[in-house]
Amino acid sequence: MSHRGLSTFVISVVLFLGNSFVSAQENASWMRTQTLSNALNPNISVIGDFVGTAGPRESEGSNRFALREAELGFQANVDPYARADVFAGWHEGEALELEEAYVTLLALPLALQARGGKFRANFGRLNMIHPHELPQVDQPLVLERYLGGDGLNSAGFEVSRVFGPFGLFTEFSYAVLNDLGGAHEHGEEAGQTVFVNARDGNGNLIVDGNGTPVEIPVTVREEEEPVKRSVRNFAHVGRVRFYRDMTDTANVELGLSGVLHQPEGHEQRRMAGADVTFRWKPLRRGLYRSFLWRTEGVYSTRKLEAVSDLSGAVTAPEMEVDRRGFYSYVELQPARRWRFGLRGDYVEDPEAKDEVLRKADGTTFQVSRSITRAISPVVTFTLSEFNRFRAQYQCKRLPDRETENIGYLQWTTILGPHGAHPF
Amino acid sequence: MKNWMGLLLGAVLAAPGSLLAAKPLNVFTTTADLADVVRAVGGERVRVESLSKGYQDAHFVEAKPSLIVKLMSADLFIQTGLELEAGWATVLVQGSRNSRIQLGAPGYLDASSAVKPLEVPQNPDRAMGDVHPGGNPHYMLDPENVRLVAREIAKRLSSLSPADSAFFRERLGNFEVRLEENLRKWKERMEPFRGARFVSYHRNLPYFADRFGLISVGEVEPKPGIPPTAAHTADLIGRMKAEKVGLIITQPYYEDRSPASIAKQTGATVVVFSMAPSGEPGGSDYFSNMDANIESVRRALAAAAGTK
């Protein structure tokens, strides 16, 4: 290589290195700027809830695996005064749905806290808990039937206050909501034609010669226009919760809840609920041992509108039904990764009347308040704080005295920052 | 008469000030070691309580509503930080509705802001186990870090109660002198064992090991937060035998079976090391707790040196 050639080569290398150095500095600066700006982004989490169900062939959703939900969560402080929580869920076969989006005001006077937006109402002990965090694979039957598959979840405003008289934790909350959510809790779309049991003028079920209930087509009504709403259309949800440590390792919690929703031209509902929880967890070895017992009951009064068929003829008159249901479960943790539970369910159909059904052989039997009972053993294996497996068996005795056996397998995975441990 | 009137007037004017000065600051800490430092610096001008016991795993404390009631009256909330209390502290602080102790308020102190964390992962990933993206949170086991935290606490107490700042400064000075004396003593006692190897149940002793010249060979947990597995335990036993490790350090909140089984197969001694005061009998404050821990470690290492 000549001198001139060598000089050109050296200059080129220097220029290249110089450019690279400047570029690296710019990159580092750019990356630092990006990292700093990202620091203020909300915490993002993704939770996958994968469920396999085995059961009667005729049951919807049976004998298949399904991504029950992929939940996307965004959580951050808005400013020194408020925090925002947004959760969107994708359910298999459905579009992405906004489940909750609310802002909580943290710095109100008088120990008050308020939240506004769309949220799960503070009713009972489990309504505010997302499905993947429930203690069993499925919702307790009374909550599914009385509060709807998605729970009491609507847009509104809630205010709560905490007191500590004599060290007793006492929390009051009151929310005013657009409605109770889950209006079409069985998954029907407005305008869709669905089949319902036909009833006579007294509200009794009409059966065919074989004793099978006669079904008639009805159209799911469109939601009422907003302009037609009055203040009566708002739903009101209240709750009071008491908590006390019995010892350092045992505690008890009691809650009383109520719902009032008496809209014009809609199904009217009043509900009262009571729940009690007992927990035991040793301080020293709490990682390995715990016990929990929880019971929750709901009393419901619904004023049902008259049902008419497509021709407009009334097939069931307006009626008011009082129904109740409860669940009770225990959960024992004998080792770090294992939890064993057992849940019992009792639920009366919130929309059914007492009725007499006739079998094909002409004999009759009474269906009293359309009661469903179930017993569900469940075992949970926690691989880590971010990965959990669960198996559940459910033996369900239906109102028609048939028995339904269902098996569930659940795999829940959490991606993202470390969240709060459930309590 | 005029003198009496003057005395009376002086007493009336002075009363509100003395009443205010007499009211101690309400301080709540997440762990017992932080509470003890606050007690040492704040003296009778603070009323301090730890939300967890010394023998509890500070990562898995339950967010009990009874703790929310306590925080409702707090003037100052202090946490270890670095995600040690990620599963419960925020729930309690926000649940207390106490604006004095919310994040960013003068009554909220993350003590980790005073120290330089060790083991900050370059690319944190859950495949590494339950890692702490901000670094290892067990920095209170290094007395030099305790000195930095005590200074930060004194500063914060002074800003919340400026009238008592001289009092806090004086007590901080006394605490630092005592800390210096004890640190010298602990170093002397551990000096013969500089370079000794040990295994811990969880990766929570890097600060302690750095300060006293111990070398960590591994953990009973295969990865942070992951329970021991047979394959990992067999591998660990092999390494302990090869490197002649005679000490296994565990905590009161971990199961005994795995460390005991490993000790049986390697001849090592298991030491229950308390992470915070009152964790084990004999460790009622920070100094006595460290005394007890260092004495246990020293004895185990001496026994191991004698037998190997």
Side-chain angles (χ1 to χ4, degrees):
Chain A
M1 189 180 285
S2 68
H3 264 291
R4 194 171 169 183
L6 183 65
S7 310
T8 309
F9 174 75
V10 169
I11 289 167
S12 301
V13 168
V14 167
L15 283 174
F16 172 75
L17 288 178
N19 279 340
S20 303
F21 180 69
V22 170
S23 171
Q25 273 192 323
E26 282 173 353
N27 276 342
S29 167
W30 179 82
M31 283 181 72
R32 194 166 54 248
T33 308
Q34 288 299 303
T35 307
L36 286 174
S37 59
N38 286 342
L40 293 174
N41 281 344
N43 282 338
I44 300 172
S45 61
V46 181
I47 298 172
D49 195 20
F50 187 63
V51 175
T53 309
R57 277 182 294 186
E58 58 273 19
S59 291
E60 192 185 345
S62 248
N63 304 312
R64 64 193 303 266
F65 292 107
L67 182 62
R68 186 166 71 173
E69 185 184 41
E71 183 187 278
L72 196 57
F74 301 88
Q75 295 173 287
N77 288 321
V78 178
D79 56 23
Y81 314 105
R83 189 191 73 222
D85 296 82
V86 178
F87 300 98
W90 181 81
H91 306 260
E92 195 168 284
E94 296 176 23
L96 188 72
E97 183 188 0
L98 185 66
E99 292 184 342
E100 289 188 284
Y102 57 89
V103 175
T104 308
L105 294 173
L106 302 165
L108 296 176
L110 304 172
L112 289 166
Q113 207 168 74
R115 59 176 177 156
K118 181 180 185 295
F119 53 84
R120 286 174 164 266
N122 191 6
F123 178 91
R125 193 59 186 80
L126 295 182
N127 187 58
M128 287 175 71
I129 297 179
H130 289 198
H132 57 84
E133 285 293 346
L134 287 171
Q136 295 93 29
V137 178
D138 67 328
Q139 250 185 319
L141 300 183
V142 62
L143 303 186
E144 185 188 340
R145 294 293 289 121
Y146 288 35
L147 309 184
D150 296 328
L152 293 185
N153 183 341
S154 186
F157 188 79
E158 179 194 79
V159 64
S160 63
R161 193 188 197 287
V162 168
F163 302 88
F166 311 108
L168 175 72
F169 173 88
T170 308
E171 182 188 51
F172 288 96
S173 73
Y174 164 74
V176 57
L177 306 169
N178 278 343
D179 50 43
L180 296 179
H184 306 302
E185 57 212 43
H186 304 298
E188 301 94 343
E189 296 290 331
Q192 181 189 346
T193 299
V194 296
F195 289 85
V196 299
N197 292 338
R199 294 170 189 275
D200 62 20
N202 297 319
N204 295 319
L205 209 65
I206 301 170
V207 295
D208 62 16
N210 297 322
T212 308
V214 173
E215 291 190 332
I216 52 164
V218 297
T219 304
V220 178
R221 195 179 48 200
E222 293 283 345
E223 282 290 319
E224 203 168 326
E225 292 294 321
V227 70
K228 293 178 183 170
R229 282 180 65 94
S230 72
V231 288
R232 278 192 60 188
N233 287 67
F234 287 118
H236 307 269
V237 181
R239 178 167 166 80
V240 56
R241 180 163 72 116
F242 306 99
Y243 169 95
R244 186 162 203 104
D245 286 327
M246 298 166 78
T247 65
D248 275 350
T249 57
N251 54 70
V252 65
E253 187 177 319
L254 174 71
L256 300 168
S257 311
V259 162
L260 182 67
H261 189 216
Q262 297 188 298
E264 292 170 346
H266 268 289
E267 181 186 279
Q268 299 189 356
R269 281 198 264 178
R270 295 191 303 275
M271 281 189 282
D275 57 275
V276 60
T277 303
F278 169 81
R279 295 183 193 81
W280 172 82
K281 197 179 182 78
L283 294 183
R284 190 179 295 255
R285 295 288 166 88
L287 198 53
Y288 304 95
R289 301 273 186 281
S290 67
F291 173 80
L292 182 144
W293 168 67
R294 176 171 287 150
T295 292
E296 182 170 357
V298 180
Y299 182 84
S300 154
T301 300
R302 290 194 188 201
K303 190 173 179 185
L304 303 177
E305 287 180 88
V307 176
S308 41
D309 62 17
L310 289 175
S311 66
V314 173
T315 57
E318 183 180 278
M319 64 184 101
E320 188 169 280
V321 288
D322 296 333
R323 291 291 178 259
R324 59 194 69 88
F326 76 93
Y327 68 87
S328 184
Y329 75 86
V330 290
E331 187 180 77
L332 176 69
Q333 181 197 4
R336 181 167 178 171
R337 285 175 149 164
W338 293 94
R339 282 181 163 80
F340 297 91
L342 184 68
R343 190 186 83 207
D345 286 282
Y346 169 94
V347 60
E348 299 167 1
D349 187 331
E351 297 175 359
K353 290 189 71 176
D354 295 354
E355 48 209 351
V356 176
L357 293 182
R358 204 169 47 238
K359 286 185 177 176
D361 61 6
T363 58
T364 59
F365 64 94
Q366 176 145 3
V367 177
S368 176
R369 293 164 287 169
S370 286
I371 297 168
T372 301
R373 296 179 177 86
I375 189 95
S376 310
V378 56
V379 55
T380 304
F381 177 76
T382 307
L383 189 61
S384 73
E385 285 191 69
F386 309 93
N387 232 335
R388 189 189 63 210
F389 299 91
R390 181 172 280 157
Q392 181 178 332
Y393 164 72
Q394 187 168 78
C395 178
K396 202 189 274 184
R397 191 163 165 84
L398 302 169
D400 60 6
R401 303 186 181 182
E402 291 290 319
T403 300
E404 196 173 89
N405 295 294
I406 306 170
Y408 297 103
L409 286 173
Q410 182 187 30
W411 182 2
T412 306
T413 300
I414 301 169
L415 306 179
H418 196 304
H421 298 143
F423 177 73
Chain B
M1 185 67 181
K2 202 172 176 182
N3 285 347
W4 278 107
M5 288 291 284
L7 278 172
L8 191 65
L9 188 64
V12 168
L13 288 174
S18 55
L19 279 176
L20 281 175
K23 192 188 169 208
L25 288 171
N26 254 343
V27 184
F28 288 90
T29 65
T30 53
T31 55
D33 45 10
L34 288 171
D36 198 55
V37 176
V38 173
R39 205 170 287 119
V41 174
E44 68 272 17
R45 308 282 168 89
V46 300
R47 198 161 42 214
V48 60
E49 190 179 334
S50 166
L51 300 177
S52 67
K53 305 282 186 193
Y55 49 76
Q56 264 185 289
D57 185 342
H59 186 67
F60 289 103
V61 174
E62 289 191 293
K64 293 179 186 178
S66 52
L67 302 181
I68 289 177
V69 172
K70 291 182 178 189
L71 289 182
M72 286 170 70
S73 63
D75 297 306
L76 176 60
F77 167 81
I78 308 175
Q79 67 167 7
T80 308
L82 299 176
E83 288 209 329
L84 181 67
E85 306 96 339
W88 56 281
T90 306
V91 176
L92 296 181
V93 170
Q94 294 191 345
S96 74
R97 291 128 159 106
N98 179 348
S99 57
R100 294 186 299 275
I101 59 163
Q102 299 302 316
L103 178 66
Y108 179 99
L109 176 59
D110 184 330
S112 68
S113 61
V115 304
K116 188 180 176 198
L118 296 178
E119 300 184 343
V120 182
Q122 285 296 308
N123 297 300
D125 191 297
R126 292 281 177 225
M128 301 169 178
D130 193 5
V131 289
H132 297 263
N136 194 301
H138 305 285
Y139 55 82
M140 290 292 281
L141 294 177
D142 178 357
E144 289 293 357
N145 282 338
V146 174
R147 186 201 308 275
L148 300 174
V149 168
R151 286 176 185 169
E152 193 63 34
I153 286 172
K155 205 189 300 177
R156 191 59 63 96
L157 291 175
S158 299
S159 74
L160 291 172
S161 182
D164 295 319
S165 54
F167 176 80
F168 296 139
R169 211 165 34 242
E170 187 188 336
R171 287 191 67 97
L172 172 67
N174 295 340
F175 179 74
E176 289 199 47
V177 168
R178 208 173 152 208
L179 190 68
E180 189 59 45
E181 287 167 2
N182 277 280
L183 180 56
R184 197 178 308 120
K185 178 183 75 180
W186 294 330
K187 277 180 174 172
E188 281 169 13
R189 286 163 69 184
M190 290 298 292
E191 188 54 34
F193 307 104
R194 181 163 286 279
R197 291 160 194 274
F198 74 98
V199 160
S200 59
Y201 194 103
H202 178 73
R203 189 151 185 87
N204 51 12
L205 295 166
Y207 297 91
F208 181 82
D210 267 18
R211 181 57 54 202
F212 298 108
L214 303 181
I215 297 169
S216 171
V217 170
E219 287 79 39
V220 176
E221 289 179 335
K223 286 177 181 174
I226 305 296
T229 61
H232 173 75
T233 303
D235 176 59
L236 185 67
I237 289 171
R239 273 188 289 146
M240 286 177 70
K241 283 179 176 172
E243 300 190 36
K244 294 187 170 47
V245 178
L247 175 63
I248 302 170
I249 300 179
T250 186
Q251 275 70 49
Y253 44 81
Y254 287 126
E255 46 95 14
D256 307 316
R257 205 161 43 179
S258 304
S261 164
I262 295 168
K264 195 175 171 185
Q265 295 180 64
T266 58
T269 303
V270 178
V271 165
V272 179
F273 187 106
S274 177
M275 302 297 283
S278 305
E280 285 295 294
S284 58
D285 66 8
Y286 180 79
F287 295 109
S288 57
N289 187 54
M290 282 295 279
D291 264 341
N293 282 334
I294 284 178
E295 187 55 25
S296 306
V297 168
R298 210 183 60 79
R299 276 189 195 168
L301 289 173
T307 56
K308 289 195 179 8

